[in-house]
Amino acid sequence: MAKMIFILACAASLLVPSVLSKGDSFMPVLPNKELRAFPTEFEGRLLRDVGLTEREQYFLNDFPGQIGRFTDGRRELIIRRVTEGTRKLHPASDCFRAIGYIITPLPLRVDADGRRWSSFAAVKNGESLKVFERIEDNKGREWTDVSAWYWSVWGEQNGEWWAWTIAERS
């Protein structure tokens, strides 16, 4: 379980030092320091906040939004609220590869609510995980690829997007 937590922390915290300049946005300004409540349940299961590690808290210094780490009793979830288009949001597969996991892309997953999720298998030292990711906004838009999200929202400086990363043992 500690490995899974570390991997999710890595996925949530990989940062790129530069952020492209932003244009005007028609969305209302939402200060990054304003905290929003994270969801309390996911797919009908209560979420329990397991807190951020010191390392994850460090990466929040320049992250445009919030990061929360949760469990629903059988899976680990990293939920990131992002307030502007940023290159500081990376796909989890990059983090898993960086710490030695062998990554195998899996087919796109569509859940019971019709939400699309990118997915991959991650294997290292006999540990096998399935990881699912998606980004959504409050307007009903969704992305299964971080780069597609970034270019789609580039210039939207004051938005609100929710990036979900879920890891479960397979």
Side-chain angles (χ1 to χ4, degrees), residues 4-14 53 55-56 69 78:
M4 189 181 324
I5 291 169
F6 175 76
I7 292 164
L8 287 171
C10 179
S13 62
L14 252 180
T53 65
R55 182 187 228 11
E56 291 164 330
R69 187 165 53 99
I78 294 287

Side-chain angles (χ1 to χ4, degrees), residues 15-69:
L15 302 175
V16 172
S18 64
V19 177
L20 298 175
S21 63
K22 310 293 185 280
D24 292 332
S25 173
F26 295 105
M27 299 179 78
V29 174
L30 177 65
N32 288 347
K33 293 180 182 176
E34 181 180 325
L35 297 179
R36 296 283 181 116
F38 283 106
T40 57
E41 66 176 53
F42 181 73
E43 295 180 344
R45 297 177 64 94
L46 290 178
L47 293 179
R48 182 174 54 87
D49 187 342
V50 293
L52 297 177
T53 65
E54 186 175 323
R55 182 187 228 11
E56 291 164 330
Q57 289 174 355
Y58 169 80
F59 286 111
L60 271 172
N61 291 335
D62 293 323
F63 186 77
Q66 298 166 255
I67 302 171
R69 187 165 53 99

Side-chain angles (χ1 to χ4, degrees), residues 69-161:
R69 187 165 53 99
F70 305 88
T71 183
D72 68 0
R74 62 182 175 97
R75 303 175 291 187
E76 293 287 328
L77 295 87
I78 294 287
I79 304 171
R80 293 165 283 175
R81 183 182 72 87
V82 187
T83 57
E84 64 184 60
T86 178
R87 284 292 196 188
K88 294 179 181 181
L89 185 64
H90 286 198
S93 59
D94 290 353
C95 294
F96 279 81
R97 271 191 203 97
I99 59 172
Y101 277 79
I102 297 171
I103 303 303
T104 304
L106 297 173
L108 186 74
R109 174 182 167 222
V110 179
D111 67 18
D113 294 323
R115 296 176 300 196
R116 297 176 303 148
W117 296 81
S118 65
S119 62
F120 62 89
V123 178
K124 178 181 176 183
N125 298 331
E127 181 179 35
S128 181
L129 303 169
K130 284 187 182 176
V131 181
F132 305 96
E133 292 185 289
R134 68 178 270 109
I135 304 168
E136 61 192 13
D137 67 11
N138 297 329
K139 299 175 185 177
R141 298 183 297 176
E142 65 176 3
W143 299 265
T144 58
D145 176 79
V146 173
S147 186
W149 165 79
Y150 174 78
W151 290 110
S152 174
V153 304
W154 185 74
E156 293 185 38
Q157 196 169 10
N158 297 305
E160 183 171 59
W161 299 273

